[in-house]
Structures are given as structure tokens and as C-alpha cells.
């Protein structure tokens, strides 16, 4: 099964993608994570992308579709891909169709996380992740069970993203409205879109997604 998780910054895409990896053995394909890895490694792509990401704007379609194509050539993605943060533009949606059909694969669902924009700044500003395994947390909504210790791997260091500040989040939300939300009709026409209440708590959102994947919704 291959799915897209679609929603603005802070909607809960990464949180749900990581859970689906843990519970279903699917594979999270986060272009944001891939780009941050490229920035950290100082690759030419990373050097090009850094300023754009810091500003909350979109990296070029060619770059992100290129890295998704390379990732889809790795065999683990045959276990089922969760596209998280990709596609973000009409051109990327077209590219994804091509990348999948070239490999004899197809999309099963586009799951839209419906959220109230007013809640997103608080979600993004309170976000932090384990520096070792990448598990996501929140200052208010999802603290580690033991303070200062990652639930998943036991690590004690955490990190925050430089672009998770109120100002950049506003730009990212505007980019979502202008360029990403308009791709929904493309998938609606294919009958792939399923809506989930992204304002529910994390477990409830997970239950709604599971019902869709299990054909019960
Ligand atoms: P995205 O990948 O869509 O940008 P994340 O999954 O990183 O979003 O979630 C943003 C922040 O909000 C994280 O700190 C996460 O722990 C928290 N979060 C995710 N889903 C919910 C939810 N349903 N209710 C409250 N907080 C949530
Ligand atoms: P979010 O938590 O906002 O969903 P991501 O981690 O998905 O954030 O993305 C962080 C940044 O990386 C974006 O603001 C953008 O600059 C860049 N980026 C990630 N995915 C894409 C994409 N598919 N197309 C263009 N830029 C992207
Ligand atoms: Zn961890």
C-alpha cells in the first residue's frame, strides 16, 4: 500500500507516519527529513536548499522529485510508502504519478489531515525530536514518558528545527494554501482522498487513519 499524508505544517503527518512505520512496517518518505539530511551532510543539494528552507519557502520541484525517485529505487519502499511532505505542488503530484507508474506501483489513498490553522503555530513551536532516532514529541501534547528520555530508544538528547518559529510557520502555511492545497482536486478526481480530523488527539487521528487503511472507513 502506498499513501500520501497531506496537511499543513504541524498537522501531524510525521507523527502518524512514524507510527505507521512502527506498527505496519511501512516506510516513511519525508522530503523534509531527506533535505535536512542533505543540509547536514553539506551536499550540493543541501547547500542549495538551506536558505530556502530557513525562509519557509519551497525547494524546487526538480530537486525533491529527484530525491523521491532515488528513494523509490531502494527495495524497502516495496513494503509500502508513506509520502510525508511530498507532493507539495501540482508539478510534484504529476512527477509522483510518473515515478510510481514507471515502477509498476500506484497510490492507494491520499489522507488529508484537516486542521484549524490557529492551532498550528502552537504545534510547530512546541515540536522537538529525539536527536538519535527522530521520534517526535511536543512540549504540551506529547512529552516523553520519562522526562528527558526518548520513549523509543532511551536517548537523552533532543533537537528543535531552526524553521519551527512563528514567523517561518506563517510563510509555510501560506505556501501550503497557495501551492499544496490546490492539488487536492487532482486526487479527488481519482477518488483517492480520505479526510481525517487532525484536531483530534494523536491516538484518535491514528485510529481514523487505521480505519481507512483497513477498509473500515
Ligand atoms: P507535520 O509532520 O505535519 O509537520 P508533526 O507530526 O511533526 O507535524 O506534528 C507537529 C507537532 O504537533 C509535534 O510536536 C507533534 O508531537 C504534535 N502533534 C501531532 N499530532 C498531534 C495531535 N493530533 N494533537 C496534538 N499535537 C499533535
Ligand atoms: P513541515 O513540518 O512543515 O511539514 P517539512 O519537514 O515537510 O515541514 O519541510 C520542511 C521544509 O523543507 C519546507 O518548508 C520546504 O522548504 C522544504 N520541503 C520539504 N518537502 C518539500 C517539497 N515536497 N517541496 C518543496 N520543498 C519541500
Ligand atoms: Zn529516540
Amino acid at each position: 500500500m502506498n499513501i500520501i499524508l497531506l496537511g499543513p505544517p504541524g498537522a501531524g503527518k510525521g507523527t502518524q507516519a512514524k507510527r505507521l512505520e512502527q506498527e505496519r512496517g511501512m516506510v516513511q518518505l519525508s522530503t523534509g527529513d531527506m533535505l535536512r539530511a542533505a543540509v547536514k551532510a553539506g551536499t550540493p543539494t543541501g547547500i542549495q536548499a538551506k536558505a530556502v528552507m530557513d525562509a519557509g519557502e519551497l525547494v524546487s520541484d526538480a530537486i525533491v522529485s529527484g530525491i523521491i525517485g532515488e528513494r523509490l529505487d531502494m527495495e524497502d519502499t516495496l513494503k509500502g510508502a508513506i509520502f510525508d511532505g511530498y507532493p507539495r505542488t501540482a508539478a510534484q503530484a504529476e512527477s509522483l504519478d510518473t515515478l510510481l507508474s514507471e515502477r509498476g506501483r500506484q497510490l492507494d489513498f491520499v489522507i488529508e489531515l484537516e486542521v484549524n490553522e490557529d492551532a498550528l503555530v502552537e504545534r510547530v513551536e512546541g515540536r522537538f525530536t529525539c536527536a538519535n532516532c527522530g521520534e517526535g514529541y511536543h512540549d504540551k501534547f506529547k512529552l516523553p514518558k520519562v522526562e528527558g528520555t526518548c520513549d523509543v530508544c532511551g536517548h537523552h538528547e533532543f533537537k528543535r528545527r531552526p524553521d519551527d518559529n512563528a514567523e517561518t510557520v506563517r510563510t509555510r502555511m501560506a505556501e501550503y494554501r497557495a501551492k499544496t492545497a490546490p492539488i487536492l482536486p487532482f486526487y479527488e478526481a481519482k477518488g483517492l482522498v480520505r479526510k481525517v480530523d487532525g484536531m483530534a488527539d494523536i491516538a484518535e487521528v491514528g485510529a481514523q487513519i487505521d480505519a481507512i487503511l483497513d477498509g473500515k472507513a
Side-chain angles (χ1 to χ4, degrees), residues 12-181:
K13 304 180 297 293
T15 301
Q16 296 300 331
K18 287 226 150 49
R19 184 189 62 84
L20 291 171
E21 278 198 328
Q22 289 157 9
E23 294 179 6
R24 294 185 183 239
M26 296 173 77
V27 180
Q28 176 191 22
L29 272 58
S30 159
T31 40
D33 285 349
M34 294 174 202
L35 290 167
R36 281 185 287 280
V39 170
K40 196 171 169 196
T43 66
T45 298
I47 291 164
Q48 224 182 314
K50 187 180 184 318
V52 179
M53 294 172 74
D54 285 343
E57 289 161 10
L58 293 186
V59 173
S60 79
D61 292 332
I63 287 182
V64 293
S65 293
I67 59 178
I68 284 286
E70 282 172 24
R71 189 67 186 81
L72 285 172
D73 284 333
M74 298 180 195
E75 231 176 70
D76 63 332
T77 59
L78 288 167
K79 293 189 289 185
I82 307 158
F83 296 97
D84 165 7
Y86 178 91
R88 261 176 157 93
T89 64
Q92 292 178 25
E94 299 277 1
S95 294
L96 179 58
D97 265 8
T98 308
L99 290 169
L100 288 172
S101 62
E102 280 170 353
R103 291 165 179 77
R105 300 185 220 173
Q106 60 181 37
L107 279 174
D108 294 282
F109 298 110
V110 175
I111 299 179
E112 182 192 5
L113 297 167
E114 289 188 300
V115 282
N116 173 350
E117 276 202 9
D118 299 338
L120 298 180
V121 173
E122 183 184 24
R123 283 222 192 148
V124 168
E125 282 193 313
R127 165 161 64 189
F128 62 98
T129 54
C130 171
N132 180 48
C133 74
E135 179 70 6
Y137 295 96
H138 191 279
D139 291 328
K140 193 162 148 191
F141 305 123
K142 190 188 165 194
L143 282 164
K145 292 190 180 80
V146 177
E147 195 187 333
T149 305
C150 175
D151 296 348
V152 176
C153 76
H155 196 76
H156 298 294
E157 277 157 303
F158 298 88
K159 56 184 184 185
R160 289 178 193 262
R161 283 167 46 181
D163 59 339
D164 277 351
N165 58 76
E167 194 198 328
T168 307
V169 173
R170 301 262 176 226
T171 308
R172 284 154 58 199
M173 274 162 31
E175 290 282 68
Y176 180 83
R177 269 197 307 270
K179 296 173 185 160
T180 308

